[in-house]
């Protein structure tokens, strides 16, 4: 169990308790497949949730997605 996986558990707990920074971080891990399997749907879900709750970087990242990418579930 590496440090990324250990922190992933902590970030997941923080995200489920409303931490938008943790949500955005989880989105990036899933997008890149760092410490977890690459999962674009899961990445988008966390990114959308962070953006809806006001995370500025998540909003910018969603706005930067190609027009064909789904931005809302």
């Amino acid at each position: 169990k590496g440090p990324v996986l250990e922190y992933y558990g902590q970030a997941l707990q923080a995200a489920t308790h409303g931490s938008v920074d943790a949500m955005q971080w989880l989105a990036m891990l899933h997008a890149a497949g760092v410490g977890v399997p690459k999962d674009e749907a899961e990445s988008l879900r966390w990114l959308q949730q962070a953006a809806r709750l006001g995370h500025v970087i998540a909003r910018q990242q969603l706005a930067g997605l190609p027009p064909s990418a789904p931005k809302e579930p």
Side-chain angles (χ1 to χ4, degrees):
K1 182 168 158 174
V4 172
L5 191 55
E6 186 176 322
Y7 186 69
Y8 179 86
Q10 295 170 4
L12 184 59
Q13 184 177 8
T16 58
H17 286 92
S19 170
V20 293
D21 288 331
M23 292 173 194
Q24 191 269 342
W25 194 79
L26 289 172
M28 297 304 94
L29 287 181
H30 282 286
V34 175
V36 294
K38 187 172 183 173
D39 186 337
E40 292 179 5
E42 186 70 0
S43 174
L44 184 59
R45 184 179 77 81
W46 283 117
L47 197 60
Q48 289 169 335
Q49 190 169 345
R52 275 194 297 271
L53 294 173
H55 195 277
V56 174
I57 294 171
R59 287 180 178 180
Q60 291 170 343
Q61 289 169 325
L62 279 177
L65 291 176
S68 61
K71 294 185 177 134
E72 289 297 323

